[in-house]
Amino acid sequence: LVPQKKLTTQKQIKYDQLRVCLAATLCYQKSIELCKFNGELNESNDPKVSRGPKATRNGNVLSDSFGNSMSSRTVICPKINDLRQCYGDVCNEIGKIFLSHVRELISQNDLQEGPTMIFYNSSSFFFHEGLRNFHITGNTSNIAIIRLNLSVLGKFNPGMSLQGAVDQLQMAHSILMERDNDPRTWDMVSEELAATLLILGVRRRKTLLGGGENPILAQAIRLTPGEECSVVECMEQSLKIYKALGNEKQTAAVHYQLALFYKRLWTCQRDVVRTREKLSLAFQHYFEAHQYFIQDVGSEPTFIILLLDLSNLYSAVSGEECLRKALGCCMDMHRPFSPESMNSALERNLLGVGDKDWIDKMKTLEPVVSDLLLGLIKSLVKFNKKKYEKLYRHALSAKLASSMKHDTKAFEQEQFEVFGVLDAVLKNASHLL
């Protein structure tokens, strides 16, 4: 099934594990065959499964398919289900080994169709062989686990849609019936199902609306109710599962993706009522995500991106009040860019926990935040020069002072340049926001 040369390049321990597991499958297969004699084995648990070989008689000698002689008085082995259980477990382990090879090849951008598909097909074969035997024994927990593994495997096949992975996971839930039957397996399947539904919803959104994040202006791109529902249903199912699991971070992530969807959709509705409805949903989901990320230490880059999106949405609505709210979003960036947040990130890096690229991500976002902040204040000055001109001068002075400090390199590792501007605006604009 697998090229020897490709396998021997893997770590020796994995290679040895695979050899032992393959040898075990042969032993279990032979043991199962030895229990099949005197007619077909009654596999009533799965009538679709092909029947085992019949025992043959040569004169007065009864033999199995391996040619082993058997007494005509021998009865069916009472351990047949135990053997099938062990055989299914080993098949599952082999499938996981081949799955790890598929994942490794794809992570290394080794997308050669030959080797990758050989490992993929080998993994699929052993997963299905394990599934067949677990169906016979009626082991619902292992059936669910195999279907979970098949759903993960299916995501690495470009020719297979994500809907196929969703179907596998939904069948896993169906076989378990309810969480109380096996809470651990149920939660594993639920986590994977929620993640897959979210990815499917995002892909459908990008397929229907394109990859951008700005509101759609062309009325010709207006979605039909069915197209909109195909995106929303996936994300709302994912949201429901994450809430049931108590996964607050992923719940916030789904709210954010729904916010991005409605943010693009609200400008191309057929009437004012639906426009307001979609805009309201966009703000609602942004606020839900905001409540989590504002206090989540380590997720500051994601929080900054969310605030940038929310600020841009307020700006798109127009009006002085909305511009002030957009500026208020920028004020929420004060803590993420603070020296305390940077020191906390440096400590996490020393401990080897958290996102090691945290500082690089924040530095990438820094000029975007700076330009947005000054641009919003400049727009407010156009609405009311007397009210906002002083604030604009404070922001420019702070930007100049931060640049001078940054050029001396004395504060380079202590704070972000934009923090000085945010701090100055927050101190002088709190009564205006």
Side-chain angles (χ1 to χ4, degrees), residues 39-83:
E40 292 184 340
L41 179 66
N42 180 20
E43 294 178 296
S44 58
N45 287 334
D46 190 358
K48 296 182 180 180
V49 177
S50 59
R51 302 296 184 182
K54 293 183 179 180
T56 59
R57 185 179 296 277
N58 183 9
N60 294 323
V61 180
L62 192 66
S63 304
D64 66 6
S65 59
F66 289 95
N68 301 297
S69 60
M70 297 157 43
S71 168
S72 60
R73 287 190 163 189
T74 308
V75 295
I76 295 176
C77 176
K79 296 291 185 180
I80 186 70
N81 277 353
D82 292 340
L83 291 170

Side-chain angles (χ1 to χ4, degrees), residues 163-183:
Q163 186 60 52
V166 170
D167 292 342
Q168 289 284 1
L169 294 164
Q170 288 175 336
M171 284 189 283
H173 263 170
S174 297
I175 198 72
L176 290 172
M177 297 182 69
E178 58 182 23
R179 185 179 184 275
D180 291 342
N181 291 332
D182 188 345

Side-chain angles (χ1 to χ4, degrees), residues 116-282:
T116 305
M117 288 310 298
I118 288 174
F119 284 122
Y120 178 91
N121 291 332
S122 299
S123 180
S124 178
F125 169 80
F126 281 102
F127 280 145
H128 280 96
E129 185 68 5
L131 184 64
R132 183 180 72 87
N133 281 271
F134 288 141
H135 269 297
I136 295 171
T137 61
N139 190 319
T140 56
S141 294
N142 282 345
I143 291 172
I145 290 172
I146 290 278
R147 292 206 177 277
L148 169 62
N149 291 334
L150 282 169
S151 74
V152 175
L153 178 65
K155 294 176 185 177
F156 294 107
N157 185 353
M160 183 177 178
S161 67
L162 274 178
Q163 186 60 52
V166 170
D167 292 342
Q168 289 284 1
L169 294 164
Q170 288 175 336
M171 284 189 283
H173 263 170
S174 297
I175 198 72
L176 290 172
M177 297 182 69
E178 58 182 23
R179 185 179 184 275
D180 291 342
N181 291 332
D182 188 345
R184 182 173 176 272
T185 302
W186 179 276
D187 289 348
M188 286 170 56
V189 173
S190 296
E191 285 278 0
E192 189 65 27
L193 178 58
T196 306
L197 284 167
L198 177 57
I199 295 170
L200 180 59
V202 171
R203 285 191 183 179
R204 287 178 176 175
R205 183 191 72 200
K206 290 181 177 179
T207 300
L208 293 170
L209 301 177
E213 295 180 356
N214 294 323
I216 298 171
L217 301 179
Q219 294 293 320
I221 310 180
R222 182 190 301 158
L223 300 185
T224 65
E227 290 173 333
E228 182 178 335
C229 188
S230 70
V231 176
V232 174
E233 275 190 357
C234 286
M235 293 189 179
E236 288 187 343
Q237 286 181 47
S238 177
L239 184 64
K240 182 179 179 181
I241 294 171
Y242 279 130
K243 283 183 176 179
L245 292 170
N247 191 328
E248 294 183 357
K249 186 168 187 176
Q250 285 304 110
T251 298
V254 179
H255 277 301
Y256 183 29
Q257 292 300 327
L258 280 164
L260 290 175
F261 176 64
Y262 288 117
K263 176 188 174 182
R264 300 208 64 203
L265 211 60
W266 74 278
T267 52
C268 60
Q269 299 303 306
R270 63 173 179 265
D271 54 51
V272 176
V273 174
R274 290 185 65 83
T275 297
R276 289 177 177 173
E277 177 189 341
K278 304 305 178 186
L279 182 59
S280 176
L281 286 169

Side-chain angles (χ1 to χ4, degrees), residues 86-126:
C86 293
Y87 178 57
D89 287 337
V90 176
C91 286
N92 183 40
E93 289 303 314
I94 296 174
K96 286 160 61 177
I97 292 172
F98 285 129
L99 173 58
S100 69
H101 293 323
V102 173
R103 185 184 284 112
E104 186 176 345
L105 286 172
I106 291 179
S107 67
Q108 295 173 353
N109 294 321
D110 186 356
L111 301 179
Q112 298 179 35
E113 184 175 348
T116 305
M117 288 310 298
I118 288 174
F119 284 122
Y120 178 91
N121 291 332
S122 299
S123 180
S124 178
F125 169 80
F126 281 102

